[in-house]
Amino acid sequence: MASTMGRTPPIRGTVCRSRPFTTRWDSKSGRPKSSCPAPSPPKSWRWSATPPDTTAPSQPGRGARVRIEMKHGEFMWTVKRKEKHFTDLHRDLRTHKALMKIPLTRSYSVRRTLPPNEERHMPSLPKGEENKQTRAESRKKQIEDYLNELLRMPLYRNYHAMMEFIDASQLSFIHDLGPKGLEGFVLKRSGGHRIPGFKCCGGSKICYRWSRRWLVVKDSFLLYMETDSGAISFVMLFDKEFNIKMDPREMKTKHRIRVNSLSRSLVLKCSSYRHACWWGQAIDDFVKKHSSAFLKDHRFGSFAREEKDIPAKWYVNGKTYMEDVADALEAAKEEIFITDWWLSPEIFLKRPVVEGNQWRLDCILKRKAQQGVRVFVMLYKEMSWALGLNSGYSKRTLRKLHQNIKVMRDPDHVYLWAHHEKIVVIDQSVAFVGGIDLAYGRWDDREHRLTDVGSMMLSHLEQAQAAASLSAPANGSSSEGNAGGFTHTDGKGINTLLDMMDQPKIKGKKKRTGLSIRKRLEKHSITFRHDSDSDLEEEEEKGPKVCGDPTGMGGELYGNTRFWHGKDYCNFVHKDWIQLDKPFDDFIDRYTTPRMPWHDIASVVHGSAARDVARHFIQRWNFTKRAKRKYRAPSYPYLLPKSHTTAQEQRYQVPNCINSKVQILRSAADWSAGIKYHEESIHNAYVHVIENSEHFIYIENQFFISCADNIHIFNKIGDAIAERIIKAYKEGKRYHVYVVTPLLPGFEGDINTGGGSAIQAVMHFNYRTMNRGERSIISQLRKEMGDHWINYFSICGLRTHAELEGRLVTELIYVHSKMLIADDNTVIIGSANINDRSMLGMRDSEVAVIVEDSETVASVMDGQPYQAGKFALSLRLDCFKTILGAYADPTIDVSDPVSEKFYKDVWMATCGRNATIYQKVFRCLPSSDVLSMTHLEGYLAKPGLDKEDPTRAHEELKKIRGFLVQFPMQFLCEQNLLPPIGSKEAIVPTEVWT
């Protein structure tokens, strides 16, 4: 065997079977499981040897090195060892075998036995030859046979000394983690993490400590594990700042290397300068070979690259989105990642509720957790004095379901900014991204109903079971049941349950004939013992409620023409949510107050793009685990990103997807993701797409706060819109910008009295972007083109109407979308609002996806044939048909978004006509007739047609098409909308509103 590594032919072989991704952690401790689970090698397991280099004989006395080339299925790696390493290994294995024979108890009654059918004879270590080239071939064959024999015996193959010898661990042969990388023991220095608010000089030994760890380098990350327990104690994701430093002058001490990334500066110590050079060069070479995509600064400054041929799908409104999320969750096999600004565990994902609680979110997650799927949930930890999300209740509810469900809340000490992403990731292969939280009020469809007064009951099976257990005497006489129930005979000998227990509370006047059954029984002094109210402490002591028991009363919930149960029926401008720990009790009167419809957009992507979404979640999860002491327990494991090399191996795909080019974008910073430099790739993408659009842009967004003055506002989206319109005007080209945004901000407040200070503060900055002040879009356009701006720029809202208990009602449709469509070929969908909070990267954390079509279909643009993108065109057509009423009236043509006929005769005419009719019938707010608070009282004093002439009002409302209404640009234009001095809204920084 040769003494020089470069000339030594390798010894080749395989080790043990490949392992699935799900075997990474023990379900209780959160630690990695044992390394090679196979008790014996498969029958096809064998080693193949390469003939030795006979010109370079072994020289054991001089520390000859042996290069061993290992192969296990798809995994290949090389191990370099000296003769002394073989001697040390043999000694350790002999000691291990001897210890296995030592009894475990003093009575010598229990002995550890060798595995069944295990060959007790340990192979002998071949002795070195004395520089005899003629025996080099036999020497190498002896070493190969020696290793072969050891690796065939589980007693030795699974022993830690053997695994260290061949550089293998429990993470070596996981297919989804990519190729086997570098592994081995290192000394690592503590510290170096980029955690805001925590700094240490690190210049003295008292500031850090050295620890021995097992280092693993994979194709997209490196990690190290504790030597005693095998628990993963740190994960570093590769990024554009990743580099290796080995300069002794920079390190201040010799034999050390520094591994830098956006999240940490990790220092490793080696036994010698040569060892340090080997580790540094090996890591650098491996990462450059397998991880080059992560080391680049991608388009828009994103952490993720553009991915081609990605199956993608859009969603308009929550109905179809939540249905696909439910089906994807049900198909999960390994992991589920969820992060939301707000999450309601009891939300129904499929409606109406016709299958009990099967499709309730908490029930789905519990069911999957019981099947062994690991569920990881990250919730925004709100300031309770400012927001009533009660994320603490959501966390407790989910954690109690199963030990496989892990929930984090973050942040603790960041008071102004929020985690705003809405992400659901299945097995790191399917990722839902958009603006829809899995929370109350978000489920809706294209009808945008205002009313929902259907009934809610226990299932017939539950009723029958309860009736059987509480059945009355055969003669039909009544009696009190020991559980507080009451039955009667219907005259046909069939016992039916009248009112066994409390049903969920429906607020408001219920339309029933006479007294309720419960009232009748109480009238005759028949009392019920059950009390559905219990405080949180009692619930914690009694344990979690059964998932099939939403009311805590032992039955499943079924709906009859009911879509929104309990807290899900909401109108948050009328009244914000309260008592979220009682999810099925109404908090507004659904018989007098219409709900506020919810218009939203989301998407789903697969493959490599889904891996990138998962990578963002993993980075946030691991950072939170490191930063918050309460999550450092092994029960909250570090998460590992799957390799992009296996991303195309789809086990599940959402139906009806369109292949497109996709890139994941985000807003992230040190406080939200623990990275050195903030990322604002969503903002950059918005500006780029607007500037490079040729025909039109269509925007739906919850906020519209832009036009930078570099004092209060910094994002440049509004300026990009104005500049692009001015460019089209100067070139004499047709170009349109459509903006759809809520008529009022989504804060509690009575608009009939001017709304609250929070509503007015957001209105101030919205109007500042639209038409008030010299920096507004319309002001910039007027300077260049006068009143011709109206031919280019349109801002609208959405409104609808219905009949509630015999009277006409209207309500705005809350636009919660965060979407841009350009030229029917490019789409941005995500969680980012058009404001500084979402766009600047240093504030709220966000995720979005930009989809660029690769498949085209024949369309029309400005009257000319046009090849439109299949994804973008279908999404734009659905949005236009929904808000313009084209689904109900097929004569409305929305195919050409640029033609003057569509812009003036369809878009502008529809929004103007609808706004005029609603003004006439309801005298609704906001309205351009109300210029200040002094005008408000007089405006409201004059009744609309809904009160003066209901018949005529019905006739007028028949002229309404769709939901689109003109935005009231002059509403309160003479009023100072900034928070008044002394109010709590005036105390908070201006950045909160922008």
Side-chain angles (χ1 to χ4, degrees):
M1 203 163 295
S3 59
T4 57
M5 293 185 296
R7 299 179 59 190
T8 306
I11 300 175
R12 296 178 180 173
T14 57
V15 186
C16 61
R17 297 183 297 185
S18 179
R19 306 174 61 225
F21 192 72
T22 50
T23 60
R24 291 182 301 162
W25 295 295
D26 179 81
S27 60
K28 293 183 179 180
S29 67
R31 295 171 178 173
K33 295 181 180 178
S34 59
S35 53
C36 287
S40 60
K43 293 180 180 179
S44 60
W45 182 89
R46 62 189 300 272
W47 284 59
S48 60
T50 300
D53 184 354
T54 57
T55 63
S58 172
Q59 298 180 13
R62 299 182 183 178
R65 287 181 175 269
V66 178
R67 183 164 63 95
I68 309 173
E69 189 175 287
M70 315 289 289
K71 181 178 181 182
H72 161 52
E74 68 201 78
F75 302 100
M76 298 183 64
W77 74 104
T78 300
V79 177
K80 299 173 183 177
R81 294 290 179 261
K82 294 181 179 181
E83 292 283 346
K84 69 173 184 177
H85 296 141
F86 286 88
T87 304
D88 294 342
L89 172 66
H90 190 75
R91 182 183 64 250
D92 290 343
L93 295 179
R94 289 185 61 182
T95 303
H96 172 58
K97 181 179 179 180
L99 291 175
M100 290 293 292
K101 298 179 181 180
I102 298 177
L104 292 176
T105 63
R106 293 182 179 180
S107 62
Y108 293 88
S109 59
V110 179
R111 290 178 177 271
R112 288 178 288 189
T113 59
L114 296 176
N117 302 322
E118 182 65 67
E119 186 178 344
R120 291 182 175 271
H121 173 68
M122 181 177 175
S124 299
L125 176 66
K127 295 182 180 180
E129 301 292 335
E130 296 296 332
N131 271 338
K132 297 180 180 179
Q133 296 186 8
T134 56
R135 299 190 180 182
E137 181 78 24
S138 61
R139 168 66 174 157
K140 182 168 191 277
K141 184 67 169 63
Q142 291 172 358
I143 290 183
E144 287 180 353
D145 292 341
Y146 171 74
L147 292 177
N148 276 331
E149 196 167 355
L150 287 178
L151 289 168
R152 289 192 185 99
M153 305 168 71
L155 173 65
Y156 306 121
R157 184 178 73 240
N158 294 334
Y159 186 51
H160 69 85
M162 189 69 201
M163 301 306 293
E164 293 169 16
F165 182 84
I166 63 174
D167 286 348
S169 69
Q170 57 265 39
L171 300 177
S172 297
F173 311 120
I174 298 176
H175 174 70
D176 279 327
L177 292 183
K180 186 186 181 305
L182 306 171
E183 299 189 46
F185 280 114
V186 296
L187 287 174
K188 67 92 185 176
R189 193 173 78 180
S190 60
H193 301 277
R194 306 192 194 282
I195 300 176
F198 179 80
K199 293 184 179 180
C200 179
C201 60
S204 172
K205 292 184 178 180
I206 64 172
C207 298
Y208 58 80
R209 66 182 184 277
W210 293 96
S211 304
R212 191 167 185 257
R213 296 289 185 262
W214 182 265
L215 183 69
V216 179
V217 182
K218 286 291 188 176
D219 67 350
S220 65
F221 65 91
L222 65 79
L223 62 84
Y224 54 73
M225 297 181 286
E226 296 180 5
T227 56
D228 52 350
S229 65
I232 298 173
S233 52
F234 174 70
V235 178
M236 175 188 285
L237 304 185
F238 298 147
D239 51 47
K240 62 184 180 182
E241 287 291 308
F242 180 86
N243 61 77
I244 305 291
K245 299 291 185 182
M246 294 181 288
D247 189 349
R249 293 170 297 179
E250 183 179 333
M251 303 299 295
K252 298 181 181 180
T253 11
K254 56 184 179 180
H255 313 334
R256 297 185 187 181
I257 61 175
R258 184 186 298 273
V259 184
N260 295 316
S261 73
L262 286 173
S263 60
R264 187 181 181 183
S265 182
L266 174 64
V267 178
L268 305 176
K269 181 163 52 174
C270 303
S271 58
S272 64
Y273 176 75
R274 181 179 181 183
H275 193 210
C277 289
W278 182 88
W279 264 112
Q281 192 63 48
I283 294 174
D284 193 55
D285 291 344
F286 183 85
V287 171
K288 287 180 178 179
K289 178 180 178 181
H290 296 281
S291 313
S292 59
F294 302 107
L295 308 182
K296 299 176 182 178
D297 195 0
H298 299 288
R299 185 179 61 158
F300 310 130
S302 173
F303 75 107
R305 65 182 178 183
E306 302 162 66
E307 303 288 353
K308 297 180 179 179
D309 296 325
I310 299 297
K313 182 180 180 179
W314 51 261
Y315 300 94
V316 177
N317 299 314
K319 179 180 184 296
T320 53
Y321 173 79
M322 291 189 183
E323 288 174 351
D324 277 1
V325 168
D327 291 337
L329 290 173
E330 197 65 36
K333 302 298 182 185
E334 297 169 349
E335 292 175 320
I336 294 172
F337 300 157
I338 300 175
T339 181
D340 275 329
W341 180 77
W342 184 24
L343 184 144
S344 305
E346 297 86 4
I347 194 78
F348 286 94
L349 300 184
K350 291 191 178 183
R351 309 182 194 187
V353 185
V354 295
E355 298 179 81
N357 293 330
Q358 179 178 358
W359 299 112
R360 210 176 81 186
L361 178 59
D362 56 347
C363 296
I364 297 173
L365 297 182
K366 180 179 181 180
R367 185 162 62 245
K368 299 311 295 183
Q370 291 171 337
Q371 295 172 9
V373 176
R374 306 275 292 184
V375 181
F376 301 95
V377 182
M378 294 196 72
L379 302 176
Y380 164 53
K381 186 175 182 181
E382 77 285 2
M383 297 294 102
S384 57
W385 54 267
L387 294 169
L389 305 181
N390 203 345
S391 61
Y393 165 77
S394 299
K395 178 180 178 179
R396 290 188 296 270
T397 301
L398 293 174
R399 284 184 60 192
K400 291 188 295 185
L401 295 176
H402 196 274
Q403 65 180 6
N404 277 345
I405 299 178
K406 308 297 181 184
V407 186
M408 288 184 179
R409 290 199 304 156
D410 185 65
D412 276 341
H413 306 296
V414 179
Y415 303 109
L416 299 181
W417 319 131
H419 289 301
H420 198 240
E421 304 99 319
K422 298 93 168 60
I423 295 173
V424 180
V425 182
I426 311 299
D427 295 336
Q428 299 192 37
S429 298
V430 182
F432 295 86
V433 178
I436 305 177
D437 294 287
L438 301 180
Y440 296 134
R442 272 60 174 173
W443 189 96
D444 214 328
D445 57 19
R446 66 167 60 129
E447 295 185 34
H448 291 311
R449 300 171 182 85
L450 287 183
T451 64
D452 188 36
V453 294
S455 61
M456 183 167 56
M457 62 192 72
L458 297 177
S459 69
H460 297 300
L461 178 61
E462 295 288 346
Q463 293 185 28
Q465 291 173 344
S469 63
L470 300 172
S471 58
N475 59 10
S477 61
S478 63
S479 64
E480 290 188 59
N482 57 10
F486 186 82
T487 61
H488 86 294
T489 303
D490 64 358
K492 298 180 182 180
I494 300 175
N495 291 328
T496 59
L497 181 68
L498 289 182
D499 199 359
M500 173 187 166
M501 55 190 69
D502 287 337
Q503 297 291 347
K505 298 175 182 178
I506 302 176
K507 192 166 185 177
K509 183 179 179 182
K510 302 172 181 63
K511 299 301 179 181
R512 297 181 178 177
T513 55
L515 295 174
S516 69
I517 296 172
R518 184 182 179 90
K519 295 282 187 182
R520 292 179 186 178
L521 298 178
E522 291 176 349
K523 184 176 180 181
H524 294 283
S525 301
I526 300 176
T527 60
F528 282 67
R529 299 178 185 178
H530 181 81
D531 184 2
S532 63
D533 294 332
S534 61
D535 58 29
L536 191 60
E537 288 74 16
E538 291 176 351
E539 287 184 14
E540 296 257 1
E541 293 174 3
K542 295 178 182 178
K545 294 180 181 178
V546 179
C547 199
D549 178 15
T551 61
M553 299 178 293
E556 288 198 351
L557 195 64
Y558 277 73
N560 179 19
T561 67
R562 174 74 71 83
F563 291 97
W564 295 274
H565 299 279
K567 297 296 187 296
D568 213 13
Y569 186 93
C570 58
N571 188 321
F572 48 86
V573 171
H574 172 77
K575 185 178 182 180
D576 209 349
W577 281 273
I578 59 172
Q579 296 182 317
L580 292 172
D581 56 336
K582 298 178 180 179
F584 295 98
D585 288 353
D586 284 4
F587 73 107
I588 61 174
D589 188 346
R590 65 176 69 214
Y591 293 92
T592 61
T593 304
R595 65 176 290 271
M596 180 171 288
W598 193 276
H599 182 78
D600 219 331
I601 304 290
S603 66
V604 64
V605 295
H606 299 74
S608 298
R611 291 278 203 270
D612 290 332
V613 178
R615 192 175 181 85
H616 170 76
F617 180 94
I618 290 169
Q619 186 172 43
R620 268 197 54 200
W621 176 279
N622 290 346
F623 168 67
T624 304
K625 173 179 171 61
R626 168 61 60 178
K628 300 183 71 170
R629 185 175 297 274
K630 68 172 72 174
Y631 299 130
R632 294 179 188 174
S635 58
Y636 284 86
Y638 278 99
L639 302 183
L640 305 180
K642 290 185 177 181
S643 173
H644 279 53
T645 60
T646 63
Q648 302 307 316
E649 301 173 8
Q650 288 291 138
R651 300 184 183 93
Y652 175 81
Q653 180 172 315
V654 175
N656 304 317
C657 288
I658 300 171
N659 282 2
S660 309
K661 185 171 74 172
V662 171
Q663 185 180 11
I664 304 303
L665 314 169
R666 67 176 180 175
S667 294
D670 55 354
W671 78 265
S672 59
I675 56 179
K676 183 177 180 180
Y677 307 115
H678 76 275
E679 179 180 327
E680 52 179 308
S681 53
I682 302 176
H683 179 214
N684 296 335
Y686 262 82
V687 173
H688 173 85
V689 171
I690 292 169
E691 290 176 343
N692 290 275
S693 59
E694 296 181 3
H695 303 287
F696 79 95
I697 58 172
Y698 172 64
I699 292 174
E700 289 184 5
N701 208 282
Q702 181 186 4
F703 292 88
F704 197 54
I705 300 175
S706 187
C707 297
D709 58 7
N710 295 325
I711 299 174
H712 300 296
I713 310 295
F714 295 89
N715 81 81
K716 304 182 185 307
I717 294 174
D719 298 305
I721 291 173
E723 291 170 6
R724 182 61 189 88
I725 293 175
I726 293 171
K727 177 183 177 183
Y729 173 75
K730 290 181 177 180
E731 294 176 350
K733 295 182 179 179
R734 196 166 287 155
Y735 183 86
H736 296 301
V737 175
Y738 304 90
V739 177
V740 176
T741 193
L743 293 172
L744 286 173
F747 296 92
E748 181 180 3
D750 185 2
I751 192 60
N752 290 331
T753 60
S757 296
I759 290 179
Q760 292 188 10
V762 176
M763 285 170 56
H764 167 82
F765 290 104
N766 277 333
Y767 279 121
R768 178 199 168 280
T769 304
M770 298 174 189
N771 68 328
R772 300 179 191 176
E774 61 179 10
R775 293 301 310 169
S776 68
I777 293 175
I778 293 178
S779 294
Q780 292 185 54
L781 296 180
R782 276 202 175 106
K783 291 178 183 178
E784 298 291 337
M785 62 187 73
D787 290 336
H788 289 290
W789 67 266
I790 200 170
N791 297 321
Y792 295 88
F793 186 50
S794 170
I795 303 179
C796 297
L798 303 180
R799 181 176 286 277
T800 189
H801 65 279
E803 190 170 326
L804 177 61
E805 298 297 306
R807 63 186 180 87
L808 289 171
V809 293
T810 185
E811 186 55 89
L812 65 88
I813 297 172
Y814 193 68
V815 179
H816 192 258
S817 317
K818 298 93 169 57
M819 177 194 69
L820 179 147
I821 302 175
D823 297 339
D824 279 348
N825 57 31
T826 303
V827 178
I828 300 176
I829 297 174
S831 63
N833 296 311
I834 295 181
N835 59 13
D836 281 0
R837 290 185 65 108
S838 292
M839 291 295 172
L840 296 188
M842 297 175 288
R843 302 183 183 182
D844 291 357
S845 59
E846 311 281 3
V847 168
V849 55
I850 179 170
V851 181
E852 296 168 280
D853 276 295
S854 52
E855 297 181 23
T856 61
V857 293
S859 182
V860 61
M861 189 74 70
D862 198 11
Q864 301 298 318
Y866 182 76
Q867 288 298 311
K870 189 175 181 180
F871 183 96
L873 176 63
S874 58
L875 173 56
R876 199 263 303 166
L877 289 177
D878 190 85
C879 290
F880 277 22
K881 288 179 179 180
T882 298
I883 65 179
L884 290 168
Y887 281 115
D889 185 358
T891 63
I892 300 175
D893 183 10
V894 298
S895 59
D896 189 346
V898 181
S899 69
E900 287 300 297
K901 185 178 187 313
F902 170 79
Y903 183 74
K904 292 182 178 179
D905 299 344
V906 178
W907 184 271
M908 298 300 291
T910 299
C911 70
R913 180 177 62 249
N914 288 350
T916 301
I917 294 173
Y918 281 126
Q919 178 91 347
K920 184 188 302 183
V921 173
F922 295 105
R923 302 288 290 173
C924 49
L925 292 173
S927 168
S928 288
D929 290 346
V930 179
L931 305 183
S932 66
M933 297 301 295
T934 58
H935 294 86
L936 186 59
E937 185 176 350
Y939 175 82
L940 295 174
K942 183 179 179 180
L945 287 179
D946 63 324
K947 296 180 175 61
E948 286 187 332
D949 190 347
T951 302
R952 185 182 168 196
H954 279 90
E955 292 300 318
E956 289 290 328
L957 291 173
K958 290 180 181 179
K959 302 175 185 177
I960 293 289
R961 291 292 181 271
F963 308 110
L964 196 69
V965 294
Q966 202 168 45
F967 200 89
M969 305 294 284
Q970 303 306 316
F971 180 58
L972 297 179
C973 64
E974 298 177 0
Q975 189 76 28
N976 181 8
L977 298 177
L978 289 173
I981 298 176
S983 65
K984 66 179 182 180
E985 288 80 7
I987 298 175
V988 299
T990 303
E991 290 86 345
V992 171
W993 312 112
T994 63

